[in-house]
Structure formats: C-alpha cells, structure tokens
Amino acid sequence: MRVLVTGADGFVGRYLVRQLVAGGHEVRAGCRPGGPPPKQWLGAAAGRVQCVELEITEDASVRAAASVPADAVKDVGMYKVTVKSFGEAVAESGPAPLVVK
C-alpha cells in the first residue's frame, strides 16, 4: 500500500514510518523543511522512504506533497488551518485514498 504520512519526522511519525516500512508498505514521508535528515531517524530504512518537504501551513507545500497518489494518508502533523486545503490537494491527486486520523 502507498501511504503518505504527514509529520513523518516528528515523535509519533518516526515510529509510524518505521512500522509501515517494516510491513512492506511504500511510504512517502512529509517532513518539515530544515528538520533532521531522514537517515538520522530512519537509519538503513531511509533508502526505502521517499521524503518530501512539507510545511503544513503553506498551501503550495501541501499541494506538492499530495501530488503523488496514495492509497492511504495518515496526518500526524496536521494543523486545523490546512485541513480543507490538504483534503482538496489529496482529492486532486487521483482516486480518493483512505484518510486515517
């Protein structure tokens, strides 16, 4: 399954990404600009994860992160101010994915 995880480099997101990778899922990790490099928090699994810069409060950044279709979205780093634009961006990327809160 292709999964987009927002807040992937945060406390909860890091563990979720590791579990998804271990489960054989294709993970697209939305990481904050200037955050720790994926290799630092993913180790050897960093090569199996596509990291994209995601500033959840910026519409263009949200749309770019959601531009690749996903089967599921887990929004660990969601802010209320972007819920509508994030949902719209995900919907525009292709068939509706399962969004897990």
Side-chain angles (χ1 to χ4, degrees):
M1 180 180 287
R2 295 172 300 173
V3 183
L4 168 62
V5 178
T6 70
D9 58 341
F11 183 78
V12 174
R14 295 174 188 208
Y15 292 98
L16 176 60
V17 169
R18 286 188 198 113
Q19 290 298 313
L20 289 168
V21 169
H25 299 285
E26 181 182 324
V27 180
R28 187 161 201 230
C31 303
R32 68 186 181 280
K39 188 155 185 132
Q40 181 179 337
W41 51 274
L42 279 176
R48 298 178 50 204
V49 174
Q50 179 187 9
C51 289
V52 294
E53 284 195 359
L54 173 58
E55 178 51 63
I56 204 75
T57 61
E58 295 178 6
D59 191 59
S61 181
V62 170
R63 291 188 183 282
S67 66
V68 175
D71 300 313
V73 176
K74 177 60 182 157
D75 57 358
V76 179
M78 187 61 66
Y79 289 91
K80 287 184 180 181
V81 295
T82 59
V83 170
K84 183 178 178 188
S85 63
F86 187 79
E88 289 171 352
V90 169
E92 291 170 2
S93 70
L98 169 66
V99 177
V100 182
K101 291 272 185 187

